[in-house]
Structure formats: C-alpha cells, structure tokens
Amino acid sequence: DIEMTQSPSSLSASVGDRVTITCRASQTIGPYLNWYQQRQGKAPRLLIYATSGLQSGVPSRFSGSASGTDFTLTISSLQPEDYGTYYCQQSYFPPRTFGQGTKVEI
Amino acid sequence: QVRLQESGPGLVRPSQTLSLTCSISGVSVNIGGDYWSWIRQSAGKGLEWIGRVYGTGTAESNPSLESRVSLSLDTSSNKLSLTLTSVTAADTAVYYCARDHYGGLPSPGYHFDVWGQGVLVTVSS
C-alpha cells in the first residue's frame, strides 16, 4: 500500500496566521492527492482535489501544491471556523490510503 | 443535491456479520462515471478505505479486508450495501459511504466529494 505521512500531527495557530500542512507519499502518485477537513463528530469534507483543485464552496484561502512526492495544504489566513483535523488521501493506486491527520487548534 | 444516508445496527456480536446500507438520493447510481465507496474510521487506524462499487456492479475492495467484505449496488432502489463477516472488536468504527467522483481534465483522478453522516458500529458481546 502507498503510505501517506502527514506533518505536523497537530498545531496551534492564531486567527490570521498562515498555516501549512505537509503530506509525503511513500512513492510517486502524480497529482492524485486530495485534502479533507473533518470537524469533531462530522464526516470529512473535501477541500482540495488533484493536488490543487479547489472544491466548489471551499474558501479561496485554502490552496494546495506539490513538489515531487511532497504535498502541501496552505491556509493563507486562518479563520475561527478552520479548526478540525485535516487529512490527505491518495487516489493514484488502490487501495486508497489516507494520512494520519493533522489537528489544527485555534 | 446528492445525499447519502447510512443505516444499520449499531451493535454486532463478535464473529457475526455486519450489514450496512447507504441510501443515495439526488442522482441515479447507474449514470455517469462515479464509484460508490465505503470508508471507516476508528481510533486505532484512522480513515480506512473499505472498497467501492461502480454502477455496473463491478467492485473492488481493500486487500486487507477482501476475504471478509462483500459490496453491492442496487440500481433499482439506489442503495449501496456492505457486508463484513467474522467481525472482531477491531471492526468497531464509524462507517461512512461516499461518492468516489472522477474529476476529469484538467484535474484527473478520483476524490470523495459527497459523504454520508456516518454510522457507529460497535462489535461487542
């Protein structure tokens, strides 16, 4: 299976901060990397698909990028509603695999 | 608007069979290029993809669960089903169904764009 490793596992930031979360794939996965946000007790919500595609309805402060097998989710200006746990997920090859999550506290 | 709703027993005895259903509304499951997936989340293993089914009935599952998993899609009732046999405490999790949507060009690949709210299944005697 393709292993997805996220860092950091948790972070605390202030409103207005620029936040960066990294996800590293254990092998090349092309652009097939998605990002999700999950709030406590809720289902994950798609934020970014195919590395940098912004899902409809998601604020433009969220963006994604890649360098080789390293992928980055950036929140340009953290807002109070951005708390939660963020997961990356590869769709390059089955089985689909997720990162272990990054918990964002504000 | 596409909506997914999971249903099934919240408690299953060890060694028994877990059966869940996902009711899909707002789209016909046999139209388009989407798959329909099951994903579970437990404290110990995080998010784990269980498998997916296409509108034609073609299914694929996670090799880690393949010997115990059965997936099906009823196109007449627009329902997705999951059966997991010989359950143990390790199968305790929140189970989600999700649409595995193909992005197409210029953003190829699949992503889970619509999720159900999830159903907690506890395996315990």
Side-chain angles (χ1 to χ4, degrees):
Chain A
D1 297 1
I2 298 175
E3 186 174 352
M4 309 302 294
T5 304
Q6 287 183 238
S7 61
S9 56
S10 66
L11 66 90
S12 181
S14 300
V15 173
D17 284 353
R18 182 181 183 88
V19 170
T20 298
I21 299 170
T22 298
C23 177
R24 173 169 291 176
S26 61
Q27 66 180 73
T28 183
I29 58 170
Y32 303 105
L33 189 285
N34 307 312
W35 290 97
Y36 303 85
Q37 175 198 50
Q38 185 178 34
R39 296 184 179 132
Q40 187 69 29
K42 300 292 187 182
R45 167 198 178 200
L46 178 68
L47 299 175
I48 300 287
Y49 58 91
T51 297
S52 58
L54 188 67
Q55 175 67 357
S56 176
V58 174
S60 59
R61 62 180 180 274
F62 291 92
S63 64
S65 62
S67 176
T69 57
D70 290 340
F71 297 82
T72 300
L73 173 70
T74 300
I75 309 173
S76 60
S77 178
L78 193 68
Q79 298 301 301
E81 61 268 28
D82 296 338
Y83 71 91
T85 301
Y86 291 78
Y87 296 93
C88 60
Q89 174 251 326
Q90 65 83 16
S91 61
Y92 177 71
F93 196 75
R96 308 281 189 255
T97 47
F98 293 83
Q100 81 280 13
T102 295
K103 187 173 184 179
V104 174
E105 296 176 319
I106 301 174
Chain B
Q1 185 178 4
V2 180
R3 293 182 185 271
L4 285 66
Q5 174 79 52
E6 304 89 348
S7 59
L11 179 65
V12 182
R13 304 301 182 191
S15 79
Q16 300 299 303
T17 296
L18 180 163
S19 295
L20 297 175
T21 298
C22 174
S23 298
I24 301 164
S25 59
V27 67
S28 179
V29 297
N30 59 358
I31 295 177
D34 294 331
Y35 284 81
W36 302 90
S37 279
W38 286 101
I39 298 159
R40 68 182 183 179
Q41 185 172 32
S42 62
K45 294 194 72 175
L47 286 162
E48 182 179 28
W49 177 75
I50 299 170
R52 67 178 187 173
V53 186
Y54 193 60
T56 58
T58 302
E60 57 181 354
S61 54
N62 194 321
S64 67
L65 299 167
E66 200 167 40
S67 63
R68 299 193 292 130
V69 164
S70 177
L71 305 170
S72 64
L73 194 58
D74 186 335
T75 56
S76 63
S77 63
N78 242 33
K79 290 185 177 180
L80 172 69
S81 295
L82 165 68
T83 300
L84 182 65
T85 62
S86 304
V87 298
T88 69
D91 295 310
T92 294
V94 176
Y95 286 75
Y96 296 100
C97 55
R99 184 172 73 171
D100 197 3
H101 181 66
Y102 182 67
L105 296 175
S107 302
Y110 285 85
H111 47 267
F112 303 115
D113 68 334
V114 183
W115 296 65
Q117 86 282 1
V119 59
L120 174 61
V121 178
T122 301
V123 178
S124 175
S125 55

